[in-house]
């Protein structure tokens, strides 16, 4: 992939090839006609029809025997004697171009800069590369399997063939100058190796690239995110691990937000045991929490009513609520320990209608058949029944093409096949990684604290929604997240996926209380280093134009309210982590002097 507007160059290429073909065909026909006339005029030069054919073909190799004698010649022959060599030259040039194309692409890939690097032979890697190219990115693809000639031509790939875990191959793909790297092979260990190699190849003189590593098991992905969070301050890489279900679940609610029911709570039904179910539960709760804030406008919005139908529904809801405690504050969760047929069985779920129904089945073909063969489902939903599919994206496109290309009836929009891999190929949502989500949550808590203190939205540059926050302040929140690793070291704690019932939460809270003054002081010193690094200095009054701030002074000189604000940021750390399914576990008392220095923090 080289040019975001490759469509025009591809069309021009086709027109040139048609022109070359016309020139060659015209030369062949005119040469035959000309030599046939010469046969009648000069039988001493052209003796029979076989000579006509032979001399006609000779024109394409820069000459024919009759031209060794003086003319005159028929006009058809005069045209053909120049058109045929021209066609030959063009054909040789095109053949040379094709022969050198692979080497040319290799050199262009090696010299690429500010590009996206997609590594892997998986279907997801192919889809992601196509999506990034369509979004206008310059993309270099690294694959172990060779590209087909039509694939190069149709997709305009800049590609490198080789082992994507090899430093030489990744260097040849321009990795040190890429701004984003996606490790998307079918093998998790290969993806980890790509991230390791990227860490060794990045250059200190350039901004570090973002590296996103695809993990195929959701629980492993969460565990690796926890381990990365504990090491984020030790590496320049902006690294995150992602799972396609998590990204696709966020995309689902972005493209199909839940409606607000008039005069009653909004109701959602999730049925089945598929892998998509847990991600869907979590993102539905997060989405409704954000929707409540938008819809409230001074009025109370009732919790979202979520019914889960599955043989293990009670256990699944208990596990989800334990890992993500906020779910119970925004959702009214009800478990129905029934199989899938219980969704449409008479009276088993009552007669209530749902605003949205999701059917998550491990055997997606069975799930699709169940929805297509169950009119009772269509009647029970106010909007649509969604079925996540992984391998049936083509069938989903048959249902949901544009209005001119729909091949199948959507039952008035009631049936929605949701292709998970297609919607997971969203670079913006992948980039909304753990660091970004925690930074946004820290900012939201800051807004709440400031509003409680009487500061109104818009009174300061930071008193705005995350989407309107200046990039410098976003970086400050990200730096706060990356410094969590140093705080954990001081606390003698680690972060782990939340399971509940460990008894360590109180120990972690006690560790924070024991060190609250020291940690608040260190957080203030980190913030001061960061602000001064961006050109800010002390001023009696805040002036964003002159970059002056009254809090840029030693801890002991801070007013009590600013000191308390730093303490509150430290106390909020467990709640910030719990929103993403993590908890603090105290392993041992911190060892004095183990704090990372400012040069070690990311």
């Amino acid at each position: 992939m080289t040019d975001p507007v490759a469509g025009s160059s591809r069309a021009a290429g086709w027109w040139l090839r048609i022109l070359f073909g016309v020139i060659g065909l015209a030369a062949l026909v005119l040469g035959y006609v000309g030599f046939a006339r010469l046969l009648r005029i000069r039988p001493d030069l052209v003796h029979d029809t076989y000579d006509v054919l032979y001399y006609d073909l000779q024109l394409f190799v820069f000459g024919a025997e009759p031209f060794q004698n003086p003319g005159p010649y028929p006009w058809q022959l005069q045209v053909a004697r120049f058109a045929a060599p021209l066609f030959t030259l063009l054909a040789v040039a095109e053949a040379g171009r094709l022969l050198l194309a692979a080497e040319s692409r290799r050199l262009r890939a090696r010299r690429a800069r500010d590009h996206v690097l997609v590594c892997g032979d998986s279907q997801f890697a192919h889809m992601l590369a196509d999506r990034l190219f369509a979004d206008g990115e310059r993309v270099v693809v690294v694959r172990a399997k060779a590209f087909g000639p039509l694939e190069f031509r149709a997709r305009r790939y800049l590609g490198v063939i080789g082992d994507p875990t090899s430093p030489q191959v990744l260097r040849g793909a321009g990795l040190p100058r890429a701004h984003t790297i996606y490790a998307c092979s079918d093998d998790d260990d290969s993806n980890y190796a790509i991230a390791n190699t990227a860490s060794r190849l990045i250059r200190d003189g350039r901004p570090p690239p973002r590296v996103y590593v695809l993990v195929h098991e959701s629980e492993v992905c969460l565990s690796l995110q926890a381990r990365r969070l504990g090491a984020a301050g030790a590496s320049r890489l902006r690294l995150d691990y992602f799972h396609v279900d998590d990204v696709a679940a966020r995309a689902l609610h972005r493209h199909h937000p839940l409606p607000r029911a008039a005069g009653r709570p909004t109701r959602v039904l999730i049925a089945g045991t598929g892998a998509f179910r847990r991600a869907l539960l979590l993102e539905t709760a997060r989405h409704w929490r954000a929707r409540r804030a938008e819809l409230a406008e001074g009025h109370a919005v009732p919790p979202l009513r979520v019914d889960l139908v599955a043989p293990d529904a009670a256990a699944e809801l208990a596990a989800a609520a334990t890992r993500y405690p906020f779910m119970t504050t925004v959702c009214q969760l009800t478990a129905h320990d029934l199989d899938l047929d219980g969704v449409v069985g008479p009276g088993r779920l009552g007669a209530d209608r749902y605003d949205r129904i999701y059917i998550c089945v491990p055997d997606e073909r069975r799930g699709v058949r169940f929805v297509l063969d169950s009119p009772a489902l269509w009647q029970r939903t106010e909007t649509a029944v969604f079925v996540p599919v992984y391998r049936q994206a083509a069938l989903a496109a048959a249902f949901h093409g544009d209005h001119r290309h729909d091949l199948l009836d959507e039952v008035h929009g009631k049936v929605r096949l949701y292709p998970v891999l297609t919607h997971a190929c969203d670079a913006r949502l992948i980039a909304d990684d753990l660091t970004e989500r925690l930074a946004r949550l820290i900012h939201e808590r800051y807004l709440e604290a400031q509003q409680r203190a009487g500061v109104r939205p818009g009174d300061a540059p930071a008193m705005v929604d995350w989407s309107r926050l200046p990039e410098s302040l976003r970086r400050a929140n990200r730096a706060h997240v990356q410094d969590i690793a140093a705080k954990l070291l001081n606390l003698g704690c680690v972060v782990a996926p939340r399971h509940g019932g460990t008894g360590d939460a109180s120990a972690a809270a006690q560790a924070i209380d024991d060190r609250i003054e020291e940690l608040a002081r260190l957080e203030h010193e980190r913030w001061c280093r960061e602000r001064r690094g961006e050109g800010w200095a002390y001023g009696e009054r805040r002036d964003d134009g002159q970059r002056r701030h009254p809090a840029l002074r030693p801890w002991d000189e801070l007013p009590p309210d600013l000191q308390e604000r730093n303490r509150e940021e430290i106390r909020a750390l467990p709640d910030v982590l719990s929103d993403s399914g993590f908890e603090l576990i105290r392993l041992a008392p911190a060892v004095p002097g183990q704090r990372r220095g400012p040069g070690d923090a990311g």
Side-chain angles (χ1 to χ4, degrees):
M1 297 179 178
T2 59
D3 186 0
V5 290
S8 58
S9 62
R10 189 178 303 126
W14 277 112
W15 280 111
L16 285 175
R17 293 185 184 94
I18 292 172
L19 179 61
F20 296 163
V22 170
I23 291 173
L25 182 61
L28 184 66
V29 172
L30 290 175
Y32 183 86
V33 173
F35 280 118
R37 293 191 63 182
L38 195 63
L39 173 62
R40 296 192 297 270
I41 299 171
R42 299 282 299 274
D44 57 318
L45 297 180
V46 182
H47 304 93
D48 54 30
T49 303
Y50 292 106
D51 281 348
V52 171
L53 291 173
Y54 181 70
Y55 295 148
D56 191 17
L57 294 176
Q58 275 192 325
L59 290 174
F60 291 89
V61 291
F62 300 91
E65 292 180 18
F67 292 118
Q68 302 299 322
N69 299 283
Y73 303 108
W75 70 267
Q76 295 92 341
L77 201 54
Q78 294 285 26
V79 174
R81 68 188 295 192
F82 292 101
L86 175 61
F87 175 79
T88 301
L89 287 173
L90 294 174
V92 170
E94 178 69 7
R97 188 188 68 81
L98 291 175
L99 289 173
L100 296 175
E103 181 66 14
S104 171
R105 290 188 182 94
R106 186 186 69 80
L107 292 175
R108 288 157 62 199
R110 188 176 186 87
R111 296 188 186 129
R113 58 180 63 248
D114 295 325
H115 59 288
V116 175
L117 194 61
V118 180
C119 304
D121 294 84
S122 66
Q123 179 186 3
F124 182 80
H126 299 173
M127 296 170 66
L128 179 61
D130 287 342
R131 177 72 174 272
L132 289 166
F133 178 61
D135 289 342
E137 290 281 1
R138 190 179 193 192
V139 180
V140 177
V141 178
V142 179
R143 288 169 49 169
K145 298 178 183 177
F147 292 85
L150 293 180
E151 189 171 11
F152 266 131
R153 181 169 297 175
R155 295 183 173 175
R156 310 291 293 174
Y157 276 153
L158 272 181
V160 175
I161 307 303
D163 180 4
T165 66
S166 165
Q168 292 76 18
V169 172
L170 292 180
R171 192 179 289 112
L175 183 144
R177 295 176 298 278
H179 67 76
T180 308
I181 300 155
Y182 297 93
C184 304
S185 73
D186 284 321
D187 178 56
D188 283 351
D189 198 55
S190 294
N191 293 335
Y192 306 150
I194 293 168
N196 295 341
T197 304
S199 177
R200 294 193 296 270
L201 290 181
I202 63 171
R203 298 174 179 175
D204 292 336
R206 292 180 58 84
R210 294 187 176 198
V211 181
Y212 299 110
V213 179
L214 174 63
V215 181
H216 293 87
E217 294 185 29
S218 58
E219 289 297 311
V220 173
C221 182
L222 190 68
S223 297
L224 292 177
Q225 287 178 338
R227 302 279 53 77
R228 176 59 189 167
L229 191 61
S235 171
R236 294 179 65 240
L237 279 181
R238 174 80 176 269
L239 171 66
D240 191 48
Y241 300 87
F242 71 96
H243 190 272
V244 295
D245 287 349
D246 298 332
V247 181
R250 278 182 275 150
L252 174 58
H253 289 301
R254 171 175 289 192
H255 298 305
H256 305 281
L258 290 174
R260 166 77 186 278
R264 61 174 178 80
T266 301
R267 299 193 62 187
V268 169
L269 171 65
I270 302 175
T273 59
F276 194 68
R277 181 182 64 177
R278 176 70 67 89
L280 180 60
L281 270 170
L282 171 61
E283 294 304 329
T284 299
R286 284 177 175 162
H287 170 70
W288 189 249
R289 181 174 59 184
R291 289 281 286 158
R292 286 178 72 181
E294 295 174 3
L295 297 171
E297 298 179 355
H299 304 286
V301 177
L304 177 69
R305 294 182 59 181
V306 179
D307 289 355
L308 180 63
V309 176
D312 63 341
E316 174 64 18
L317 284 185
T322 298
R323 175 162 291 174
Y324 304 101
F326 80 92
M327 290 180 64
T328 57
T329 66
V330 298
C331 298
Q332 180 182 333
L333 304 171
T334 305
H336 302 273
D337 290 332
L338 303 170
D339 58 20
L340 194 61
D341 293 334
V343 177
V344 294
R348 303 183 76 176
L349 290 180
D352 291 338
R353 292 167 62 88
Y354 293 93
D355 296 280
R356 186 73 55 78
I357 296 177
Y358 304 96
I359 304 297
C360 307
V361 182
D363 181 357
E364 62 186 55
R365 293 182 182 276
R366 180 186 170 225
V368 171
R369 288 197 305 269
F370 177 75
V371 171
L372 295 179
D373 295 341
S374 302
L377 276 179
W378 315 340
Q379 296 170 337
R380 297 198 68 170
T381 180
E382 298 287 348
T383 56
V385 182
F386 282 81
V387 188
V389 294
Y390 295 84
R391 296 179 298 275
Q392 300 189 77
L395 181 60
F399 271 100
H400 314 306
D402 60 53
H403 67 280
R404 296 172 299 169
H405 298 103
D406 277 347
L407 303 181
L408 299 170
D409 173 30
E410 299 175 348
V411 194
H412 295 182
K414 296 284 188 178
V415 175
R416 302 290 304 184
L417 272 62
Y418 186 73
V420 174
L421 293 182
T422 300
H423 289 282
C425 295
D426 190 328
R428 291 167 297 181
L429 290 178
I430 295 174
D432 190 23
D433 55 13
L434 182 61
T435 297
E436 198 76 5
R437 294 196 298 272
L438 290 177
R440 185 167 57 244
L441 186 61
I442 288 171
H443 178 66
E444 290 172 358
R445 288 178 174 272
Y446 166 80
L447 290 179
E448 293 172 359
Q450 290 294 92
Q451 289 175 8
R452 288 196 299 270
V455 182
R456 294 176 301 176
D459 284 353
M463 289 299 296
V464 294
D465 184 74
W466 177 264
S467 62
R468 295 186 288 125
L469 193 67
E471 183 58 29
S472 62
L473 297 181
R474 292 192 190 188
R475 285 198 302 270
N477 283 283
R478 295 179 192 122
H480 190 177
V481 173
Q482 291 172 331
D483 194 61
I484 287 176
K487 294 180 175 67
L488 294 176
L489 187 64
N490 272 273
L491 291 170
C493 295
V494 295
V495 63
R498 187 183 183 93
H499 294 289
T502 62
D504 288 318
S506 59
Q510 185 61 47
I512 291 176
D513 289 341
D514 292 344
R515 307 289 297 279
I516 187 67
E517 198 68 20
E518 178 187 356
L519 289 173
R521 178 192 295 267
L522 292 172
E523 170 59 22
H524 174 68
E525 292 173 356
R526 180 203 66 79
W527 178 83
C528 289
R529 287 194 302 272
E530 175 195 307
R531 292 286 88 188
R532 292 191 180 105
E534 294 196 357
W536 286 71
Y538 171 76
E540 292 187 2
R541 299 185 62 180
R542 178 166 180 166
D543 186 334
D544 291 279
Q546 298 295 321
R547 296 193 176 186
R548 296 291 184 267
H549 202 293
L552 277 169
R553 48 181 161 169
W555 171 262
D556 295 332
E557 298 178 12
L558 281 180
D561 60 326
L562 292 182
Q563 290 185 344
E564 184 60 25
R565 185 187 303 172
N566 281 276
R567 297 186 191 102
E568 286 300 320
E569 288 179 357
I570 301 301
R571 294 189 186 102
L573 184 58
D575 290 337
V576 169
L577 294 175
S578 72
D579 188 86
S580 294
F582 302 120
E583 63 181 340
L584 291 179
I585 305 295
R586 188 171 192 178
L587 297 180
V591 179
Q594 290 295 306
R595 166 85 179 177
R596 288 190 180 100
D600 298 328

